Amino acid sequence: MLPPPAAFQFPWEINSDLVKDGASVRTCGRLISYVPEESKAVLSGQQSSAQCHVSVQTTLVEPFQPILGAQYFVLGEIEKTDGLSGVMLRARALTCVDGVDLTLMQQAIVEQRRFFKERETKDEYASSLLRLASSTALEFSSALGAGTTTTNMTMMYYLRGKFSK
């Protein structure tokens, strides 16, 4: 079975309580340390003036040639741990992405989130309109009496096409 699709999370979001244990996430940051004996790397990201660190378990992606100070993109699952770090990202994929404009990427991710939220709001609105139209069509057909099944079905197909776009 495939893992669920990963949502992009900034390093400061991973360390907050917004991300649940076992969630699939994508993130990026600058590699600031790597301990091959423990299969552990630490990525750093910056939010305003604060530095945020994410611990990454690299067991599944080894061997790899770490470049300290380089930007890395990580795909994996969150593990809540008892300890100082609190959260560990178990990497399934770890890629060096040096040269990527992180400011532009962050802006793109924020814009994508805004788009998905707006689309979700529109979908909820369209669904509520469809439910309202369906109940109105059923009331209308029941008021006409028996033998209106075809009319009811035609009206339902019309309304679905009209409101589900």
Side-chain angles (χ1 to χ4, degrees), residues 8-157:
F8 194 92
Q9 302 290 331
F10 296 115
W12 52 90
E13 294 172 330
I14 289 175
N15 288 326
S16 70
D17 289 334
L18 296 174
V19 182
K20 295 183 175 122
D21 190 25
S24 291
V25 298
R26 293 178 287 163
T27 193
C28 66
R30 187 169 304 281
L31 182 66
I32 59 171
S33 74
Y34 175 63
V35 182
E37 296 82 25
E38 297 177 17
S39 297
K40 183 180 174 184
V42 177
L43 297 179
S44 174
Q46 187 168 351
Q47 179 192 22
S48 301
S49 61
Q51 284 287 105
C52 301
H53 301 289
V54 176
S55 298
V56 180
Q57 182 69 34
T58 60
T59 308
L60 300 175
V61 294
E62 289 179 344
F64 80 103
Q65 301 299 319
I67 304 168
L68 292 179
Q71 295 289 338
Y72 278 86
F73 188 82
V74 183
L75 168 67
E77 282 74 41
I78 295 293
E79 280 186 15
K80 302 282 183 173
T81 60
D82 297 330
L84 296 176
S85 64
V87 175
M88 175 76 74
L89 178 58
R90 184 173 298 278
R92 282 189 276 139
L94 182 69
T95 306
C96 182
V97 291
D98 245 357
V100 171
D101 185 350
L102 290 181
T103 305
L104 187 61
M105 187 177 81
Q106 285 179 0
Q107 290 173 353
I109 291 165
V110 168
E111 190 62 34
Q112 182 187 44
R113 287 177 178 177
R114 188 176 302 128
F115 170 77
F116 285 142
K117 187 175 184 177
E118 182 180 310
R119 186 175 72 177
E120 185 178 292
T121 303
K122 285 181 180 177
D123 286 348
E124 289 171 1
Y125 177 70
S127 295
S128 65
L129 283 178
L130 183 59
R131 283 191 301 275
L132 176 65
S134 297
S135 64
T136 304
L138 289 172
E139 289 171 13
F140 178 72
S141 66
S142 64
L144 291 176
T148 60
T149 306
T150 307
T151 306
N152 187 20
M153 295 291 284
T154 306
M155 188 175 231
M156 291 296 290
Y157 284 121

